[in-house]
Amino acid sequence: MSSLTETAEKIKNMEIRGAGRIARAAALALKEEALSVPAKDIGEFNAKMREAFRTLYTTRPTAVSLPNALRIVMRYKADNVEDARRQIAANADAFIAGSEHAVQQIGEIGARRLRDGDTIMTHCNSSAAAAILTAAFRQGKRINVIATETRPRMQGLITVDVLAKAGVPTTLILDSAVRYFMKKVDTVVVGADAITVNGNLINKIGTSQLALAAHEARVPFMVAAETYKFSPRTLLGELVEIEERDPAEVLPPEKRKQWPGLTVRNPAFDITPHQYIDLICTEIGAIPPEMAFWVITEKLGWEIEEPGDEAARGI
Ligand code: RUB
C-alpha cells in the first residue's frame, strides 16, 4: 500500500481523526506523493497528483479543513516535474507548520477568556479546544473540565487522556448528562469541523445539544477553530455534508440481528446555529460568529472551486 492510500485508509477508519489532524495528514500525504510519484513529464505528474487529490478528498466529507488543505497544497504552477515537486512540498510544509502554530495561538487567545476557578465543559476531542484548556491551566488558572464520553467512538477518552497528561482536573460524564451538569459550568469550549459563511458550526454530533443547554443556562459557548475550518463554498449557499457512519458503530451487527426491522442511524456531526455561539476563537483573534463572512472573503480569499476544477485548469 502506498503511503497515500495508507493515509486515506487511516482517515476513513478514523485512526487519523479530528479536523486539524486530518488536514495535516492529507497535506503530508500529498507532499510524499509529489516527491515519490514516478512521472516522465509534467502532464503525467499533474494527472497523478489530481488522482491523489481525489483519493484524499473523498475520505471523509464533513471536515472542511481537508479540502481547504488539499487546495492550498495543490496551488502550484510549474512546467517541469522537479519544480512542481518542490512547490507542492513547500506548500505542504508551510500549511503543516502554520496549522500547528494556529492551534498554539488559539490556545493562548482562548485561555485569556477563562478565569481562575472556572468549570469548562467540552465535547468529543478537539486539539484546538484542548489547547485552550491546557494553556489556561499552564497559566496557573485552577480550572476543572467536564468532558463528555462522545458515543459511539468515545473520543471523550482521548480528551480525558490529554488533560490527565497535562494535570488538568477532569470529570467524565455521559453525553446524556450534559444538561444535568450545565448549571455548574462557566464556559463551554468545543472544536469545529466546519464553520459556514453565516457563522454556524458543524462539529461532533451532540454539540448542538451542549449549545442549547448552555443557552438555556446562560453559559457562554466558545468555539476553537483555525481559519482553514471556515467553508468558502458556503458563500454560494452550499450546505456542508454531514457524514453518516456505519450503524455497526452504534449497535453491533450480532445484536441488531434480533430486530430485523430496526433502523439504526449514525450521523457523525450536527449543526449549531450561530445564535447559540458567543465567540469563535481563531489564530487571528476571538471573533463573533457573524464575522465568518469576513474570514472567508478577506482572510482565506481563495477561489471557490469544484474538486475537479484544478483538473480543468490543468494543474
Ligand atoms: C472530531 C470533532 C472535533 C473537530 C475539531 O470528530 O468533531 O471536535 O474535528 O477537532 P471525529 P480539532 O472524531 O469524527 O473526527 O480541533 O482537533 O481539529
Side-chain angles (χ1 to χ4, degrees):
M1 209 190 285
S2 78
S3 112
L4 184 106
T5 16
E6 206 175 303
T7 301
E9 213 35 59
K10 285 185 178 167
I11 295 174
K12 267 189 207 152
N13 68 26
M14 290 179 62
E15 227 174 290
I16 299 172
R17 50 145 300 282
R21 281 200 185 85
I22 290 173
R24 289 188 290 274
L28 183 63
L30 272 188
K31 170 185 166 180
E32 285 169 355
E33 185 73 2
L35 293 179
S36 64
V37 71
K40 58 179 182 327
D41 57 37
I42 188 74
E44 189 186 357
F45 178 84
N46 290 340
K48 287 186 170 169
M49 289 311 297
R50 283 199 295 274
E51 194 48 44
F53 177 105
R54 271 189 286 271
T55 304
L56 292 163
Y57 185 90
T58 50
T59 48
R60 287 190 80 188
T62 303
V64 170
S65 52
L66 173 62
N68 282 349
L70 294 175
R71 289 196 178 104
I72 290 169
V73 175
M74 287 290 274
R75 272 195 213 143
Y76 69 96
K77 212 176 179 58
D79 45 25
N80 68 76
V81 176
E82 276 328 298
D83 195 18
R85 291 192 205 278
R86 253 195 314 274
Q87 287 185 38
I88 292 178
N91 289 348
D93 289 344
F95 175 79
I96 294 166
S99 158
E100 283 163 354
H101 186 55
V103 173
Q104 260 179 29
Q105 284 174 301
I106 289 171
E108 299 303 321
I109 293 169
R112 285 186 216 137
R113 305 276 166 166
L114 303 181
R115 292 157 309 183
D116 189 27
D118 273 357
T119 296
I120 298 116
M121 186 180 278
T122 189
H123 185 51
C124 192
N125 172 253
S126 152
S127 315
I132 293 179
L133 302 174
T134 50
F137 189 73
R138 268 199 317 273
Q139 289 168 3
K141 292 175 181 165
R142 283 158 295 181
I143 58 166
N144 288 286
V145 176
I146 298 180
T148 55
E149 223 178 10
T150 318
R151 278 263 301 154
R153 301 287 300 226
M154 309 294 280
Q155 291 94 325
L157 299 184
I158 307 174
T159 297
V160 163
D161 188 55
V162 170
L163 296 176
K165 286 184 176 132
V168 183
T170 305
T171 304
L172 179 70
I173 63 166
L174 293 173
D175 299 324
S176 45
V178 159
R179 185 164 177 263
Y180 180 87
F181 285 106
M182 193 55 83
K183 31 188 178 312
K184 300 191 192 321
V185 173
D186 297 291
T187 302
V188 174
V189 180
V190 296
D193 275 82
I195 296 187
T196 67
V197 67
N198 55 352
N200 292 346
L201 163 71
I202 291 95
N203 193 50
K204 180 53 54 192
I205 189 82
T207 301
S208 65
Q209 287 177 166
L210 264 77
L212 206 55
H215 184 73
E216 180 198 38
R218 293 171 181 270
V219 170
F221 187 92
M222 177 154 88
V223 179
E226 304 90 299
T227 48
Y228 55 80
K229 309 258 180 84
F230 288 67
S231 168
R233 298 188 56 82
T234 57
L235 261 179
L236 300 176
E238 191 173 291
L239 302 176
V240 175
E241 183 183 339
I242 302 290
E243 174 183 13
E244 181 122 7
R245 295 187 63 85
D246 190 345
E249 291 183 348
V250 178
L251 190 66
E254 59 279 11
K255 283 205 172 160
R256 196 174 165 189
K257 272 204 310 246
Q258 301 172 58
W259 307 290
L262 178 70
T263 304
V264 179
R265 298 281 309 270
N266 186 18
F269 301 97
D270 66 15
I271 303 163
T272 300
H274 62 94
Q275 294 91 332
Y276 297 127
I277 299 169
D278 292 286
L279 210 59
I280 304 178
C281 211
T282 76
E283 72 276 17
I284 54 170
I287 57 169
E290 290 72 23
M291 268 180 79
F293 176 82
W294 180 86
V295 171
I296 291 170
T297 54
E298 300 299 317
K299 160 78 180 139
L300 299 180
W302 60 71
E303 300 150 56
I304 300 157
E305 298 166 301
E306 294 295 334
D309 281 358
E310 287 83 357
R313 289 195 288 114
I315 60 164

